[in-house]
Amino acid sequence: WGYIRMEKFIYCLLLCLFASTVCGHSKEEWKSRTIYQLLTDRFARSDGSTSPCHDLHKYCGGNYQGIIKHLDYIQGMGFDAIWISPIVDNMEPGYHGYWARDWTKLNSHFGSEEDFKHFVSECHKRGIWVMVDVVANHVAPVGTDYHTIVPFNKPEHYHDYCEINDDDFDHNQWRVENCRLAKLPDLKQENSWVSDQLLAWVKNMVNKYNIDGLRVDTVPEVPKPFWEKYTHAAGVFTIGEVFNFRWDYLRGYIGPMNSILNYALFRDLRSVFKGGSFASFSNTLHSMQNTFGNELNYMGNFVDNHDNARFLNGFGNWDCLLGAITFTLFYTGIPIVYYGDEQGYGGGDDPKNREELWTHMNKDSAIYKALKKLIPIRKQFKIWNYKFQELWLKDHMLAFARGPVFGVLTTKDQQVEEDIPNMPYPDGTKLCDVLSDFKDCIEVKGKKVHVSVKGNKTKIYIKHQLIFTCLLYTSPSPRDLSTSRMPSSA
């Protein structure tokens, strides 16, 4: 039997090495990940310099070698996936990666091809998966002079000139798919040559560099049938940006994409942790469950990203930010934390929300230390295997359970004392708070617990008998062959 199992194992490896599509991680595997989103140009410099960036509209000097040198910083919080900026050559000063110029080259500002391969390799050695941001909707802002764009250098590769208006997103899908977003030349995917080039590029990129997943930019701006082909060609998990708040509209892109970023949750999540009502928020959660069903497990939950002013902009309450992030860690879906949130960044609209991190890489910051405790709890107890249970709520407080984890979130800026009913644990169960280093413990009595929470604070409890195993859990285990994709032969 051992010989037969070995034969099957070798057969699977050969399939992954030589199959025409990539043997990538499934969305079931990705739901176990916790993603750290960074902008490659803004995370860390390879020379270790920490001088501020003087113009956020231009390149600031971050690169792949800089990220490699600070992987301990990311992994120290418990993250096991990193979402990076688009990698292709960009028109100046496209520090963000969304102004593609030459699809046959990598962005030299971020490092050489060997640097990029080394970055991916170093991540994989640590059990960290790499998610690359990709764009198939548009190219650099060159007007109608396309001769510098490789390979899309002819007018027939683009839709005729028109610009998307704000009203179009709710009322005119044809214009969304055929006109220019922010004046960026709009690729004509119905041209078979253009489509073939884009599909070949993503397939080759994923295989050549051993990429684990893709964040796909500007999804509604491209027809759904193309995305179905693109997802198939990529062969890895795709999560799409559908920057829209209409839930039925969002739901329509799950299928063409493996999943989407959860803009259905984004606004209400921010609102409730800035003083809104948990009762209203609960209605949002129930409606989302009805709309998205099981697909919620794979949607990307986030508080901040590079397209929106940060949560702390004009607000400044770190405890509320931590509460919102904690919700994303323990709610249904894949949590995504935007770089700088762990340092309490509060930048405004683009590019002010794209600050350099190297001036504030403080491992003693309150949110960094909290994430270092919370993310391992999410992973150790594999909470994605349990249903999120809303146990009790008031306008200012939400109590929930997810498997062995019991949480209390509050947005009231003063001490809160409450008896929480409907506890899913037997009477006599002792629960201790992770964020207090297990010093705050409570006991289930009559299916209730009494909690005392300081203003805006967060509590995440686990069973007392699990504390020892929790303390033993320190970092992600190396990738093993049963769950990992073998390097491509390219």
Side-chain angles (χ1 to χ4, degrees):
W1 284 107
Y3 176 77
I4 294 173
R5 284 197 298 269
M6 180 58 71
E7 276 193 329
K8 289 182 177 179
F9 177 69
I10 293 172
Y11 175 71
C12 288
L13 294 187
L14 290 174
L15 279 178
C16 286
L17 285 169
F18 300 114
S20 59
T21 58
V22 176
C23 295
H25 296 295
S26 68
K27 65 181 187 179
E28 281 294 325
E29 293 173 293
W30 266 97
K31 76 178 182 181
S32 71
R33 296 281 128 170
T34 310
I35 302 172
Y36 185 76
Q37 180 199 355
L38 60 82
L39 298 189
T40 305
D41 181 62
R42 302 294 156 88
F43 181 74
R45 295 168 173 156
S46 57
D47 62 6
S49 63
T50 57
S51 58
C53 180
H54 297 296
D55 188 350
L56 294 177
H57 294 88
K58 299 179 181 179
Y59 285 97
C60 294
N63 52 36
Y64 300 126
Q65 288 294 340
I67 304 173
I68 292 169
K69 291 179 179 180
H70 292 89
L71 284 175
D72 283 346
Y73 174 89
I74 298 173
Q75 195 170 32
M77 289 178 279
F79 291 100
D80 47 19
I82 300 175
W83 157 10
I84 62 171
S85 305
I87 65 174
V88 300
D89 172 68
N90 263 229
M91 174 182 170
E92 299 291 335
Y95 70 89
H96 40 66
Y98 299 109
W99 289 357
R101 176 174 58 187
D102 189 340
W103 299 68
T104 67
K105 298 178 181 178
L106 298 187
N107 190 328
S108 60
H109 288 276
F110 299 160
S112 67
E113 183 176 47
E114 288 307 308
D115 288 337
F116 181 58
K117 289 180 177 179
H118 186 206
F119 161 70
V120 175
S121 175
E122 289 301 308
C123 285
H124 286 171
K125 286 178 184 177
R126 294 167 175 258
I128 297 172
W129 294 355
V130 176
M131 174 175 282
V132 173
D133 207 328
V134 292
V135 186
N137 171 64
H138 59 262
V139 300
V142 295
T144 55
D145 182 2
Y146 310 115
H147 78 277
T148 60
I149 305 299
V150 179
F152 309 110
N153 57 7
K154 297 179 180 179
E156 56 262 35
H157 299 154
Y158 300 88
H159 292 125
D160 292 339
Y161 195 105
C162 57
E163 294 181 21
I164 300 174
N165 301 314
D166 288 343
D167 288 346
D168 293 336
F169 292 104
D170 290 331
H171 302 107
N172 196 325
Q173 185 62 26
W174 184 91
R175 287 181 57 83
V176 171
E177 294 177 359
N178 290 273
C179 296
R180 298 186 177 202
L181 178 68
K183 299 184 179 181
L184 298 169
D186 199 66
L187 287 165
K188 192 174 185 178
Q189 290 81 12
E190 60 268 36
N191 179 314
S192 60
W193 186 87
V194 171
S195 176
D196 289 347
Q197 293 294 312
L198 292 169
L199 299 179
W201 176 84
V202 74
K203 179 178 179 179
N204 178 67
M205 185 271 293
V206 168
N207 277 283
K208 185 175 183 180
Y209 300 117
N210 200 21
I211 304 306
D212 301 290
L214 303 177
R215 180 269 188 183
V216 184
D217 188 63
T218 49
V219 168
E221 286 76 14
V222 178
K224 293 173 184 176
F226 172 80
W227 288 131
E228 293 173 357
K229 297 176 184 177
Y230 195 85
T231 295
H232 178 74
V236 293
F237 177 69
T238 57
I239 187 166
E241 179 216 22
V242 185
F243 198 157
N244 196 290
F245 302 108
R246 290 181 292 142
W247 292 9
D248 58 337
Y249 187 82
L250 293 169
R251 183 65 179 82
Y253 287 94
I254 300 176
M257 294 278 112
N258 292 144
S259 184
I260 58 173
L261 298 173
N262 195 349
Y263 271 101
L265 177 66
F266 171 69
R267 285 195 303 189
D268 286 354
L269 176 63
R270 280 187 161 203
S271 176
V272 72
F273 281 97
K274 289 188 176 184
S277 165
F278 273 115
S280 175
F281 187 60
S282 174
N283 292 333
T284 296
L285 300 184
H286 289 295
S287 296
M288 276 203 315
Q289 183 63 54
N290 291 335
T291 300
F292 297 101
N294 189 58
E295 297 301 332
L296 275 177
N297 287 289
Y298 319 108
M299 291 168 66
N301 299 328
F302 61 98
V303 179
D304 278 326
N305 63 21
H306 60 298
D307 288 325
N308 297 276
R310 290 185 184 264
F311 178 92
L312 290 181
N313 182 249
F315 184 62
N317 191 314
W318 284 39
D319 290 330
C320 289
L321 173 59
L322 177 59
I325 294 173
T326 301
F327 182 85
T328 68
L329 293 176
F330 293 100
Y331 183 60
T332 310
I334 303 172
I336 303 171
V337 178
Y338 187 44
Y339 85 103
D341 275 4
E342 74 277 10
Q343 300 298 337
Y345 277 18
D349 292 332
D350 163 20
K352 293 179 181 179
N353 58 349
R354 302 175 179 185
E355 311 96 318
E356 72 277 8
L357 188 66
W358 49 78
T359 56
H360 294 88
M361 257 187 201
N362 178 15
K363 293 183 181 180
D364 288 323
S365 104
I367 296 179
Y368 184 99
K369 291 195 294 185
L371 292 177
K372 189 173 183 178
K373 298 172 183 178
L374 294 173
I375 295 175
I377 293 296
R378 169 183 159 79
K379 293 191 293 185
Q380 182 189 3
F381 299 116
K382 300 181 178 179
I383 61 100
W384 51 87
N385 290 328
Y386 300 92
K387 184 179 179 180
F388 180 89
Q389 295 177 267
E390 180 186 293
L391 301 178
W392 183 90
L393 62 85
K394 280 189 174 180
D395 278 350
H396 60 270
M397 180 182 282
L398 171 69
F400 69 88
R402 198 162 184 201
V405 175
F406 168 62
V408 180
L409 305 170
T410 178
T411 58
K412 197 169 186 177
D413 59 359
Q414 54 189 271
Q415 185 88 7
V416 179
E417 303 268 348
E418 295 287 355
D419 289 318
I420 309 299
N422 309 315
M423 293 297 291
Y425 314 115
D427 283 0
T429 301
K430 187 177 181 181
L431 302 166
C432 297
D433 172 40
V434 176
L435 292 174
S436 67
D437 294 325
F438 308 108
K439 295 173 183 175
D440 174 20
C441 296
I442 55 179
E443 185 176 338
V444 180
K445 296 178 181 179
K447 302 299 287 183
K448 296 180 181 181
V449 291
H450 180 78
V451 296
S452 176
V453 187
K454 292 182 180 179
N456 299 316
K457 294 294 185 180
T458 294
K459 300 280 188 179
I460 295 294
Y461 295 91
I462 63 169
K463 294 179 182 179
H464 182 265
Q465 63 265 36
L466 298 175
I467 292 176
F468 181 71
T469 56
C470 177
L471 293 174
L472 290 177
Y473 190 93
T474 55
S475 62
S477 59
R479 299 199 311 176
D480 59 65
L481 292 176
S482 64
T483 60
S484 298
R485 202 159 48 79
M486 294 298 292
S488 73
S489 56

